[in-house]
Amino acid sequence: MEIVDTVVESCIHILSQAGPMAGILLILLESVFPVLPLSVFITLNLMTFGSILGYFLSLGATIVGCTCSFFFFRQVFSHRLYRLVERKDYIEVKKWMVKITKIKFTNLVILIALPFTPAFLINIAAGLSHLSFRKYFFSLLIGKAVMVYFWGYVGTSLLESLTDFSVLLKIIILLLFAYIASKVIEKSAEI
Protein backbone atom coordinates (compact mmCIF):
# COMPACT_ATOMS: atom_id res chain seq x y z
CA MET A 1 0.00 0.00 0.00
CA GLU A 2 2.95 2.34 0.62
CA ILE A 3 4.04 1.94 -2.99
CA VAL A 4 0.60 3.01 -4.21
CA ASP A 5 0.64 6.04 -1.89
CA THR A 6 4.10 7.00 -3.13
CA VAL A 7 3.06 6.71 -6.78
CA VAL A 8 -0.12 8.74 -6.19
CA GLU A 9 1.79 11.45 -4.30
CA SER A 10 4.39 11.61 -7.08
CA CYS A 11 1.71 11.93 -9.75
CA ILE A 12 -0.08 14.66 -7.79
CA HIS A 13 3.18 16.55 -7.32
CA ILE A 14 4.05 16.36 -11.03
CA LEU A 15 0.52 17.36 -12.05
CA SER A 16 0.43 20.30 -9.63
CA GLN A 17 3.78 21.52 -10.96
CA ALA A 18 2.60 21.24 -14.57
CA GLY A 19 -0.69 23.04 -13.87
CA PRO A 20 -4.33 22.61 -14.92
CA MET A 21 -3.48 22.34 -18.62
CA ALA A 22 -1.66 19.07 -17.88
CA GLY A 23 -4.84 17.70 -16.24
CA ILE A 24 -6.83 18.68 -19.31
CA LEU A 25 -4.27 17.09 -21.62
CA LEU A 26 -4.43 13.81 -19.67
CA ILE A 27 -8.19 13.60 -20.23
CA LEU A 28 -7.86 14.57 -23.90
CA LEU A 29 -5.15 11.95 -24.33
CA GLU A 30 -7.58 9.34 -23.00
CA SER A 31 -10.08 10.40 -25.68
CA VAL A 32 -7.52 9.53 -28.36
CA PHE A 33 -6.21 6.38 -26.65
CA PRO A 34 -9.20 4.78 -24.90
CA VAL A 35 -7.08 2.10 -23.22
CA LEU A 36 -5.81 4.76 -20.82
CA PRO A 37 -7.63 4.86 -17.45
CA LEU A 38 -10.03 7.82 -17.46
CA SER A 39 -11.03 7.09 -13.87
CA VAL A 40 -7.43 7.47 -12.70
CA PHE A 41 -6.99 10.76 -14.58
CA ILE A 42 -10.22 12.19 -13.15
CA THR A 43 -9.18 11.14 -9.65
CA LEU A 44 -5.75 12.72 -10.07
CA ASN A 45 -7.34 15.96 -11.29
CA LEU A 46 -9.66 16.08 -8.28
CA MET A 47 -6.89 15.27 -5.82
CA THR A 48 -4.51 17.80 -7.40
CA PHE A 49 -6.75 20.75 -8.21
CA GLY A 50 -9.52 20.27 -5.68
CA SER A 51 -12.97 18.85 -6.04
CA ILE A 52 -14.54 21.81 -7.88
CA LEU A 53 -11.75 22.87 -10.27
CA GLY A 54 -10.67 19.26 -10.83
CA TYR A 55 -14.25 18.27 -11.61
CA PHE A 56 -14.78 21.04 -14.15
CA LEU A 57 -11.37 20.49 -15.77
CA SER A 58 -12.15 16.79 -16.19
CA LEU A 59 -15.72 17.40 -17.35
CA GLY A 60 -14.72 20.04 -19.91
CA ALA A 61 -11.84 17.97 -21.25
CA THR A 62 -13.87 14.79 -21.62
CA ILE A 63 -16.66 16.67 -23.42
CA VAL A 64 -14.15 18.28 -25.79
CA GLY A 65 -12.43 14.93 -26.38
CA CYS A 66 -15.68 13.09 -27.08
CA THR A 67 -16.90 15.87 -29.37
CA CYS A 68 -13.63 15.82 -31.35
CA SER A 69 -13.93 12.04 -31.69
CA PHE A 70 -17.55 12.41 -32.84
CA PHE A 71 -16.63 14.95 -35.53
CA PHE A 72 -13.58 12.98 -36.65
CA PHE A 73 -15.66 9.89 -37.38
CA ARG A 74 -18.52 11.96 -38.82
CA GLN A 75 -16.24 13.84 -41.23
CA VAL A 76 -13.71 11.16 -42.14
CA PHE A 77 -15.56 7.83 -42.11
CA SER A 78 -19.33 8.41 -42.11
CA HIS A 79 -19.74 9.07 -45.84
CA ARG A 80 -17.49 6.14 -46.76
CA LEU A 81 -19.45 3.79 -44.51
CA TYR A 82 -22.80 4.79 -46.00
CA ARG A 83 -21.49 4.44 -49.56
CA LEU A 84 -20.16 0.97 -48.74
CA VAL A 85 -23.40 -0.08 -47.03
CA GLU A 86 -25.48 1.14 -49.96
CA ARG A 87 -23.36 -0.77 -52.51
CA LYS A 88 -23.22 -4.01 -50.55
CA ASP A 89 -25.86 -6.09 -48.85
CA TYR A 90 -25.06 -5.18 -45.23
CA ILE A 91 -28.52 -5.52 -43.75
CA GLU A 92 -27.33 -5.81 -40.15
CA VAL A 93 -25.13 -2.72 -40.44
CA LYS A 94 -28.06 -0.77 -41.89
CA LYS A 95 -30.30 -1.89 -39.01
CA TRP A 96 -27.74 -0.82 -36.41
CA MET A 97 -27.22 2.56 -38.05
CA VAL A 98 -30.96 3.19 -37.97
CA LYS A 99 -31.16 2.10 -34.31
CA ILE A 100 -28.32 4.42 -33.34
CA THR A 101 -29.80 7.31 -35.29
CA LYS A 102 -33.21 6.83 -33.65
CA ILE A 103 -32.00 6.19 -30.09
CA LYS A 104 -34.08 8.03 -27.53
CA PHE A 105 -32.42 10.99 -25.88
CA THR A 106 -32.98 9.55 -22.42
CA ASN A 107 -31.43 6.22 -23.35
CA LEU A 108 -28.39 7.94 -24.81
CA VAL A 109 -27.94 10.03 -21.63
CA ILE A 110 -28.12 6.94 -19.43
CA LEU A 111 -25.73 5.06 -21.72
CA ILE A 112 -23.20 7.91 -21.52
CA ALA A 113 -23.70 8.33 -17.75
CA LEU A 114 -22.96 4.70 -16.96
CA PRO A 115 -19.34 4.62 -15.78
CA PHE A 116 -18.39 1.35 -17.47
CA THR A 117 -19.77 2.14 -20.91
CA PRO A 118 -16.88 2.50 -23.38
CA ALA A 119 -17.17 6.15 -24.45
CA PHE A 120 -15.08 5.66 -27.57
CA LEU A 121 -17.66 3.20 -28.95
CA ILE A 122 -20.48 5.67 -28.33
CA ASN A 123 -18.48 8.45 -29.99
CA ILE A 124 -17.70 6.29 -33.02
CA ALA A 125 -21.26 4.99 -33.39
CA ALA A 126 -22.76 8.46 -32.99
CA GLY A 127 -20.28 9.95 -35.45
CA LEU A 128 -20.91 7.27 -38.06
CA SER A 129 -24.69 7.39 -37.75
CA HIS A 130 -27.10 10.15 -38.72
CA LEU A 131 -27.63 11.01 -35.05
CA SER A 132 -28.00 14.76 -34.73
CA PHE A 133 -25.11 16.57 -33.10
CA ARG A 134 -27.59 18.47 -30.92
CA LYS A 135 -28.97 15.27 -29.41
CA TYR A 136 -25.49 13.85 -28.97
CA PHE A 137 -24.08 17.01 -27.38
CA PHE A 138 -26.89 17.53 -24.86
CA SER A 139 -26.69 13.83 -23.95
CA LEU A 140 -22.96 14.25 -23.48
CA LEU A 141 -23.39 17.28 -21.20
CA ILE A 142 -25.78 15.51 -18.86
CA GLY A 143 -24.30 12.02 -19.00
CA LYS A 144 -20.66 13.04 -18.62
CA ALA A 145 -21.50 15.30 -15.66
CA VAL A 146 -22.73 12.23 -13.78
CA MET A 147 -19.95 9.95 -15.02
CA VAL A 148 -17.14 12.35 -14.07
CA TYR A 149 -18.67 12.87 -10.64
CA PHE A 150 -18.95 9.11 -10.18
CA TRP A 151 -15.30 8.43 -11.07
CA GLY A 152 -14.08 11.36 -9.02
CA TYR A 153 -16.10 10.36 -6.01
CA VAL A 154 -15.22 6.70 -6.22
CA GLY A 155 -11.60 7.38 -7.01
CA THR A 156 -11.03 9.79 -4.14
CA SER A 157 -12.78 7.60 -1.62
CA LEU A 158 -12.43 4.10 -3.06
CA LEU A 159 -12.44 2.13 0.16
CA GLU A 160 -15.23 4.18 1.69
CA SER A 161 -17.39 3.87 -1.43
CA LEU A 162 -17.17 0.09 -1.37
CA THR A 163 -18.37 -0.21 2.21
CA ASP A 164 -20.66 2.79 2.68
CA PHE A 165 -24.23 2.37 1.40
CA SER A 166 -24.79 6.14 1.38
CA VAL A 167 -22.17 6.56 -1.36
CA LEU A 168 -23.94 4.01 -3.54
CA LEU A 169 -27.26 5.72 -2.79
CA LYS A 170 -25.82 9.07 -3.95
CA ILE A 171 -24.68 7.49 -7.21
CA ILE A 172 -28.14 6.00 -7.81
CA ILE A 173 -29.68 9.41 -7.10
CA LEU A 174 -27.30 10.99 -9.64
CA LEU A 175 -28.32 8.48 -12.30
CA LEU A 176 -31.97 9.17 -11.49
CA PHE A 177 -31.29 12.91 -11.77
CA ALA A 178 -29.66 12.38 -15.18
CA TYR A 179 -32.70 10.41 -16.30
CA ILE A 180 -35.16 13.10 -15.15
CA ALA A 181 -33.06 15.94 -16.59
CA SER A 182 -32.86 14.17 -19.93
CA LYS A 183 -36.66 13.69 -19.97
CA VAL A 184 -37.24 17.39 -19.23
CA ILE A 185 -34.79 18.50 -21.92
CA GLU A 186 -36.16 15.96 -24.38
CA LYS A 187 -39.66 17.41 -24.01
CA SER A 188 -38.71 21.08 -23.88
CA ALA A 189 -36.13 20.99 -26.68
CA GLU A 190 -38.03 18.43 -28.76
CA ILE A 191 -34.93 16.27 -29.21
Side-chain angles (χ1 to χ4, degrees):
M1 195 67 167
E2 281 185 38
I3 296 172
V4 173
D5 288 340
T6 305
V7 170
V8 169
E9 289 300 322
S10 297
C11 289
I12 289 172
H13 178 71
I14 292 168
L15 200 54
S16 66
Q17 294 297 316
M21 196 61 185
I24 291 170
L25 289 175
L26 278 177
I27 303 289
L28 289 175
L29 189 63
E30 188 277 334
S31 296
V32 177
F33 302 104
V35 296
L36 296 174
L38 179 63
S39 58
V40 171
F41 295 157
I42 291 171
T43 301
L44 286 174
N45 277 343
L46 267 69
M47 293 177 79
T48 305
F49 304 112
S51 58
I52 295 173
L53 180 59
Y55 172 80
F56 284 109
L57 288 174
S58 298
L59 178 62
T62 194
I63 288 172
V64 168
C66 288
T67 303
C68 288
S69 178
F70 171 88
F71 279 119
F72 175 76
F73 282 95
R74 170 82 33 110
Q75 297 302 320
V76 176
F77 295 109
S78 180
H79 304 297
R80 292 179 185 146
L81 175 71
Y82 280 101
R83 272 189 259 134
L84 177 69
V85 167
E86 290 303 318
R87 283 187 284 167
K88 304 280 184 177
D89 191 28
Y90 293 118
I91 296 169
E92 286 299 314
V93 174
K94 289 178 187 177
K95 285 180 186 177
W96 275 104
M97 298 312 282
V98 168
K99 284 182 183 181
I100 293 167
T101 301
K102 293 185 178 194
I103 189 170
K104 290 184 177 183
F105 179 72
T106 307
N107 294 345
L108 186 56
V109 168
I110 295 300
L111 194 61
I112 291 171
L114 292 173
F116 299 103
T117 303
F120 71 96
L121 286 179
I122 295 171
N123 300 333
I124 292 169
L128 291 176
S129 72
H130 289 300
L131 182 73
S132 76
F133 174 70
R134 184 174 177 216
K135 181 191 282 189
Y136 171 76
F137 187 72
F138 281 116
S139 300
L140 202 61
L141 287 177
I142 298 168
K144 287 294 182 182
V146 173
M147 190 271 308
V148 168
Y149 181 80
F150 171 83
W151 282 125
Y153 193 80
V154 170
T156 55
S157 59
L158 181 61
L159 295 176
E160 181 186 343
S161 68
L162 295 176
T163 59
D164 187 0
F165 179 73
S166 67
V167 173
L168 296 174
L169 184 62
K170 288 177 187 177
I171 292 167
I172 291 169
I173 289 171
L174 281 172
L175 285 173
L176 183 62
F177 172 75
Y179 177 79
I180 292 169
S182 65
K183 279 294 194 190
V184 169
I185 291 175
E186 183 178 32
K187 288 183 182 188
S188 65
E190 296 178 12
I191 295 178

